[in-house]
Amino acid sequence: MTNPPPPGGWSDPTWSAQPSSPAPDPTLVAGQPVPTQPGPANPYAPGDPYAPVDPYTPGDPYAGAKMPPGQPVAYGPPGYPPQHPGYGYPAQPKTNGLAIASLVLALVGVTTCGITAPIGAILGHVAQKQIRVSGEGGEGMAKAGIIVGWIITALMVLGIAFYVAAIIFAVTTGNSSGSSSSY
C-alpha cells in the first residue's frame, strides 16, 4: 500500500511509507522468550478462565453473590478482623470552656490596661482544677491564661504604683502658690 504524496509537492525526508524495522515481539526480551511465571491458583475461578462465555445463556448472574438463608451479612472478605473503633487518629477530649475564657481574658488584658487579666488568671486556676477532675482538654490554655494573666496584672500594679509615686512626688516638691513668694 502506498500513501499519496503530501500536498504542495514537498517531501519529508524523515517520513517513509514503510517502517524501517519490524515491530518488536512483546514475548521476546533481548531476543529470548519470556518465561511464564506461575501464579497462585484462584479457587473461585472456573476451570478455564479464558474459555469463551456465552452471555445469552440462561442463568443467574448473581448466583455466586447470594448468601444462604439464615446467615448474617458479612461485610468484607472472611478472615479479616473487624476494624477497631480507635483506628487512626485518637479522639481528642473536649476542651474546657473556662480554659478558653481564661486565655482570652488574659490576652484581652493587654488592651484593657490589665483590667481583665486577673479575672483570666483566676479562671485559669479554676479551669486547671476542673481539668484534673474531669479529664478534659485545655490544660495548656489554662496554664497560659494563668501565666499571662498574672504577668499583666503585675505590670498593671507596677504601673499604678509608679503613677501614684509620681503624683506624690509632684505634690511634695511643687511650689505652693501662697507660701513662698519673693518681691
Side-chain angles (χ1 to χ4, degrees), residues 32-183:
Q32 301 294 322
V34 177
T36 59
Q37 297 180 355
N42 186 356
Y44 303 110
D48 184 11
Y50 301 109
V53 178
D54 185 12
Y56 300 108
T57 57
D60 187 5
Y62 303 107
K66 289 184 179 176
M67 297 291 293
Q71 286 191 341
V73 177
Y75 298 102
Y80 288 98
Q83 186 175 9
H84 298 288
Y87 188 77
Y89 293 108
Q92 295 293 325
K94 181 183 165 213
T95 303
N96 187 295
L98 285 181
I100 297 170
S102 165
L103 183 61
V104 168
L105 286 174
L107 292 175
V108 168
V110 173
T111 61
T112 61
C113 298
I115 295 173
T116 60
I119 299 169
I122 292 169
L123 283 180
H125 286 291
V126 174
Q128 274 191 334
K129 183 177 180 182
Q130 285 183 356
I131 289 169
R132 276 193 295 263
V133 171
S134 67
E136 291 177 312
E139 185 177 354
M141 280 193 265
K143 190 174 287 188
I146 291 169
I147 293 169
V148 171
W150 287 131
I151 288 174
I152 293 176
T153 301
L155 291 174
M156 179 185 68
V157 168
L158 285 174
I160 291 173
F162 178 76
Y163 185 71
V164 169
I167 290 175
I168 292 173
F169 179 74
V171 168
T172 58
T173 61
N175 279 338
S176 57
S177 65
S179 59
S180 66
S181 64
S182 62
Y183 284 101

